[in-house]
Amino acid sequence: MKEMAEVRELKVNRYMIIDDEPCKIVSITTSKPGKHGEAKARIEAIGIFDNQKRSVIFPVRHKVAVPIIDKRQAQVISLMGNKAQLMDMETYETFEMEIPDEFMDRIQEGKEIEYIQALGRKKIMRV
């Protein structure tokens, strides 16, 4: 799910979609309008799921897609190598998710984790 917003409404540490990838905005710099043009904004962002740095330049009145980020809690049911079977604490839905390298040694069965869901993809954010 996503919604539309003007570039001038975006803020640092919020999210936007660049190349069909939800990204967290790291910095926004705006230039003054030219003689016949309008002000432009340069946005530096990092992909949530692939950690790739991206930068785009848009006029400040340009509309861009903003992903709806869903932060949720889940409980670890079982561990299978680099995957974890999780159960959502609200919906009780169970699903498998790959464990990021930084959480490999900290995830344990029975513990709760925080994950985000955006554009049909999920990622573990905190243990």
Side-chain angles (χ1 to χ4, degrees), residues 87-103:
M87 179 182 69
D88 190 287
M89 299 302 283
E90 279 180 43
T91 63
Y92 302 111
E93 162 198 13
T94 58
F95 54 91
E96 283 184 16
M97 196 183 306
E98 200 151 313
I99 304 170
D101 293 336
E102 68 257 29
F103 301 126

Side-chain angles (χ1 to χ4, degrees), residues 13-108:
N13 289 330
R14 298 271 172 87
Y15 300 94
M16 71 178 288
I17 297 174
I18 302 173
D19 301 331
D20 292 329
E21 183 72 31
C23 299
K24 187 173 188 175
I25 298 171
V26 178
S27 73
I28 301 174
T29 52
T30 53
S31 64
K32 291 183 176 166
K35 189 172 182 182
H36 301 289
E38 59 179 308
K40 290 193 172 29
R42 179 185 177 88
I43 301 168
E44 301 277 336
I46 295 178
I48 297 173
F49 297 109
D50 63 1
N51 287 330
Q52 235 177 31
K53 194 171 186 180
R54 294 175 169 84
S55 66
V56 290
I57 298 173
F58 288 122
V60 291
R61 288 196 185 140
H62 186 78
K63 291 222 182 255
V64 293
V66 177
I68 297 174
I69 305 287
D70 194 8
K71 291 183 180 173
R72 305 183 74 93
Q73 300 285 327
Q75 183 177 13
V76 180
I77 296 173
S78 67
L79 298 171
M80 302 152 291
N82 66 341
K83 291 193 177 219
Q85 186 176 19
L86 305 169
M87 179 182 69
D88 190 287
M89 299 302 283
E90 279 180 43
T91 63
Y92 302 111
E93 162 198 13
T94 58
F95 54 91
E96 283 184 16
M97 196 183 306
E98 200 151 313
I99 304 170
D101 293 336
E102 68 257 29
F103 301 126
M104 229 12 155
D105 53 340
R106 298 200 333 234
I107 287 190
Q108 298 168 350

